[in-house]
Amino acid sequence: MKLMSIAGARPNFMKIASIAKAIENYNNNLPATAALQSKIDHVLVHTGQHYDKKMSQSFFDDLGIPQPDINLEVGSGSHAHQTAEIMRAFEPVLLRESPDILLVVGDVNSTIACCLVGSKIQYTAESKRERPVIVHVEAGLRSYDRSMPEEVNRILTDSLSDVLFITEESAKDNLLKEGIVSEKIHFSGNVMIDTLKNHLKHAEKSGIKQDLGVSSLYGLVTLHRPSNVDSPEILKDLVDTLLTISKKKSLVFPVHPRTRNNLERFSLYSKLEESSDIILSGPLPYLDFLNLTMGADLVITDSGGIQEETTYLNIPCVTLRENTERPVTVDVGSNYLIGTDKERILQTTDIILSGQGKKGTIPKFWDGKSGERIIATLVSLNNNF
Ligand code: UD1
């Protein structure tokens, strides 16, 4: 079985790390007598959607992901430009490699671009199949907010996929509502949590707190959603809110490149820099960021993955969005879905900082074995593909 997986942007790398490890374990545990073709031949493609060392290579280093076999080096651009460039660069690679399985993860532009190419490709006559079986890991999540680029990517990727692995039970209902038959849906759990569990010990050893000069208890902040950081009014209100919170609890804020660009463009970066209660940094490597998350009293974010990671770690998370595609983090986890209203954010952080925050539990199958479940399922389905 030849399996091609796609990694493009930062949140993909943690998911691919779990898949790559599960494939390696599967191959290593085959009986010595097993035929060579029982092995899974894994081809890893990096689209180059994220390319800065801190947004990409550092994750490969920290997570021990094998170097990509192919890098499309596509880079940044508008949605149409980036998606189209990935498709153009990916098509000849897919034709040449003709994998049995094309596995995509998450909801970024690389996910839909490669999925779309895979669903329409026509392999050559010598190939044993016409096109790859398309597998989507982290299927069925829905915010029901189509102004989010990721929501469009999710809906399209799911509708084109042949095998859909879900992280939480709500995803199954979403997929069934869209007419996807239940035979295609498999509850595997969360591969992002596999990687988190595998790296907790390593992360404890990170010296990032000393490097950044973090001496007191702190809250951790991340912001990068276009809906929060591309509008000067919203971003200004959020900066004011962070400055107010920082008077009660110092904050550590690793700033995403999109956010940094906009903070500078709207003359807001200096306001944060001038505060002695906010420590700023650039994007951080995985282990350093996980170290900061583990040590935080609260996390303030608009990320999808961080809602899940804080739920696993049972750390109160204030999500600065009106909706979440990951409702289990609110229903059973430690996540609060708050939006961007200053008063609501302050009320919620006050509750958390007074020690009255809710105590979450860990969702079903977020147990570190999701990658293994996915590979076992694909191997057992392989005869029917
Ligand atoms: C992308 C994903 C988003 C994910 C996020 C994590 C889509 C639609 N969005 O958003 O779901 O949560 O990644 O970070 O795929 N840039 C750099 N260096 C890099 C990469 C980007 O400086 O290595 C800057 C560029 O100015 C670029 C901007 O960041 O234009 C945005 O990058 P892009 O990949 O378009 O989207 P993200 O906001 O990162």
Side-chain angles (χ1 to χ4, degrees):
M1 182 160 90
K2 183 168 183 176
L3 183 154
M4 176 180 277
S5 65
I6 306 295
R10 191 165 60 170
N12 288 168
F13 305 138
M14 293 80 112
K15 298 166 197 170
I16 289 295
S18 156
I19 300 291
K21 186 159 181 285
I23 293 175
E24 198 189 320
N25 287 346
Y26 174 80
N27 284 342
N28 290 342
N29 289 323
L30 281 171
T33 51
L36 197 58
Q37 57 266 37
S38 315
K39 286 206 168 199
I40 300 174
D41 175 13
H42 183 199
V43 180
L44 175 57
V45 175
H46 190 325
T47 65
Q49 177 174 345
H50 284 174
Y51 43 85
D52 282 344
K53 185 164 191 298
K54 286 183 170 173
M55 302 286 284
S56 176
Q57 187 57 46
S58 76
F59 285 76
F60 282 76
D61 297 342
D62 273 7
L63 302 177
I65 308 171
Q67 283 309 302
D69 298 284
I70 298 150
N71 193 327
L72 306 178
E73 295 181 355
V74 166
S76 301
S78 68
H79 285 275
H81 179 95
Q82 187 174 60
T83 310
E85 285 304 308
I86 296 169
M87 290 178 72
R88 274 160 50 124
F90 182 55
E91 186 178 47
V93 168
L94 186 60
L95 259 187
R96 189 182 71 226
E97 297 288 331
S98 301
D100 300 299
I101 292 177
L102 173 64
L103 182 148
V104 296
V105 298
D107 55 15
V108 302
N109 286 344
S110 302
T111 311
I112 178 58
C114 294
C115 173
L116 195 46
V117 172
S119 66
K120 293 201 204 171
I121 201 115
Q122 189 72 47
Y123 284 170
T124 57
E126 301 82 66
S127 182
K128 65 178 180 201
R129 57 181 77 247
E130 289 182 358
R131 66 162 181 85
V133 173
I134 300 178
V135 174
H136 186 203
V137 171
E138 200 186 89
L141 298 180
R142 294 290 181 272
S143 64
Y144 291 97
D145 172 5
R146 290 202 185 194
S147 69
M148 272 181 93
E150 293 82 359
E151 182 76 353
V152 176
N153 295 343
R154 291 180 199 121
I155 293 168
L156 297 179
T157 303
D158 286 338
S159 80
L160 295 173
S161 294
D162 304 300
V163 184
L164 298 96
F165 288 104
I166 60 171
T167 53
E168 58 172 279
E169 271 150 323
S170 72
K172 182 162 186 178
D173 301 333
N174 297 332
L175 292 170
L176 294 177
K177 265 190 247 158
E178 289 173 21
I180 291 170
V181 293
S182 65
E183 290 70 34
K184 288 185 175 181
I185 306 169
H186 302 267
F187 189 7
S188 58
N190 194 328
V191 285
M192 185 110 152
I193 300 303
D194 295 357
T195 298
L196 185 147
K197 270 192 89 170
N198 277 332
H199 291 86
L200 283 173
K201 288 235 149 48
H202 281 123
E204 274 169 12
K205 295 188 196 123
S206 154
I208 188 67
K209 290 198 197 90
Q210 294 85 311
D211 295 350
L212 294 179
V214 182
S215 49
S216 55
L217 296 171
Y218 59 92
L220 180 63
V221 181
T222 80
L223 281 178
H224 77 286
R225 291 262 153 243
S227 57
N228 283 340
V229 306
D230 286 1
S231 142
E233 293 79 25
I234 296 177
L235 192 56
K236 180 181 175 304
D237 281 353
L238 288 174
V239 166
D240 285 344
T241 308
L242 293 178
L243 287 167
T244 308
I245 296 170
S246 72
K247 301 269 176 286
K248 299 177 199 162
K249 175 69 76 179
S250 62
L251 297 176
V252 181
F253 183 6
V255 187
H256 184 285
R258 173 191 283 278
T259 311
R260 169 97 194 223
N261 288 343
N262 290 341
L263 285 168
E264 284 176 353
R265 207 149 54 95
F266 310 145
S267 308
L268 294 167
Y269 196 72
S270 52
K271 282 180 116 183
L272 292 169
E273 267 183 327
E274 282 157 18
S275 163
S276 54
D277 303 314
I278 300 186
I279 296 176
L280 297 170
S281 81
L284 292 174
Y286 183 78
L287 295 175
D288 290 343
F289 187 79
L290 180 54
N291 178 284
L292 287 175
T293 310
M294 290 155 70
D297 285 350
L298 96 140
V299 173
I300 301 172
T301 191
D302 58 10
S303 152
I306 294 169
Q307 295 173 53
E308 298 183 332
E309 290 169 336
T310 48
T311 276
Y312 181 80
L313 296 168
N314 203 2
I315 291 168
C317 177
V318 179
T319 296
L320 306 184
R321 287 175 48 190
E322 303 298 337
N323 48 56
T324 180
E325 61 287 335
R326 295 159 159 93
V328 77
T329 61
V330 178
D331 296 342
V332 313
S334 53
N335 188 20
Y336 294 80
L337 192 60
I338 294 302
T340 53
D341 176 68
K342 183 172 182 179
E343 284 316 310
R344 275 198 81 194
I345 300 171
L346 294 178
Q347 272 167 15
T348 312
T349 51
D350 280 347
I351 292 171
I352 293 169
L353 294 177
S354 70
Q356 304 299 308
K358 64 176 171 178
K359 302 278 171 275
T361 55
I362 296 177
K364 184 175 168 191
F365 285 169
W366 291 22
D367 57 0
K369 297 188 176 132
S370 302
E372 275 171 35
R373 278 189 205 102
I374 288 170
I375 296 307
T377 305
L378 292 179
V379 168
S380 74
L381 288 175
N382 189 32
N383 293 333
N384 303 323
F385 287 157

